[in-house]
Amino acid sequence: GRTLPVPPDPESDPDRLAAIVYTSGSSGSPKGAMQPESLTQAIWTLTAGILAERGFAPPAITLNYLPMSHTPGRAMLYSTLGAGGVASFASKSDMSTILDDLALVRPTQLNFVPRVWEMLYRQFLGECRRSGSEVAEEDVLADLRTRVLGGRYVTALTGSAPIAAD
């Protein structure tokens, strides 16, 4: 293939299908949404711009663990790359390694869904029980911030679908 001419860049078409994203159905029936190039480009540039303007972006180092077929997963990736950052991916899609992945990546942005916060809280409670009364909760938190979260995060964001009243 090295002897072949470089193919031309594709022409931009704001109406061309660029992505199909899915919702989990947490606020109703699961559904897919077709995103044209214009929307994908806007998400990429506007999300990164808004985060940078509010001081959330630089330095942008994230652990991406959400599905790329889901809007928040793509938004995290797009905003990181749009800000010139580094996007690392979790080693397993079932989130069974997410705490180890966080410690390895040492992200500067923590973009978590409630399930991840719950995992961190369970880790905190387990370490409090193991350490007994001789170690203060503040010391356990300080250790987790450094050892599990990497100690260099600048921002922490969370998101969730609306929760039903029942």
Side-chain angles (χ1 to χ4, degrees), residues 54-131:
R54 295 181 182 171
F56 287 108
I61 301 169
T62 57
L63 175 64
N64 295 262
Y65 59 92
L66 294 169
M68 289 294 107
S69 60
H70 203 278
T71 299
R74 283 184 184 263
M76 186 187 320
L77 178 64
Y78 291 172
S79 65
T80 301
L81 298 177
V86 175
S88 297
F89 288 85
S91 58
K92 292 197 175 184
S93 63
D94 66 1
M95 294 194 350
S96 63
T97 61
I98 194 160
L99 297 182
D100 293 330
D101 295 334
L102 283 166
L104 181 65
V105 171
R106 299 180 55 232
T108 59
Q109 295 178 3
L110 306 177
N111 300 317
F112 293 159
V113 294
R115 180 176 173 202
V116 176
W117 289 117
E118 290 169 4
M119 293 170 78
L120 287 166
Y121 184 64
R122 282 195 305 273
Q123 182 78 16
F124 165 73
L125 291 177
E127 292 192 19
C128 283
R129 278 195 288 285
R130 280 191 293 281
S131 64

Side-chain angles (χ1 to χ4, degrees), residues 125-162:
L125 291 177
E127 292 192 19
C128 283
R129 278 195 288 285
R130 280 191 293 281
S131 64
S133 60
E134 68 273 0
V135 176
E137 286 184 0
E138 293 81 21
D139 294 335
V140 174
L141 285 173
D143 178 60
L144 288 174
R145 285 183 189 115
T146 302
R147 186 175 42 81
V148 176
L149 298 178
R152 65 179 180 179
Y153 56 89
V154 176
T155 60
L157 305 171
T158 193
S160 178

Side-chain angles (χ1 to χ4, degrees), residues 35-53:
Q35 292 184 344
E37 267 184 36
S38 58
L39 182 58
T40 303
Q41 179 183 10
I43 292 170
W44 182 287
T45 56
L46 293 175
T47 304
I50 289 168
L51 291 175
E53 180 181 289

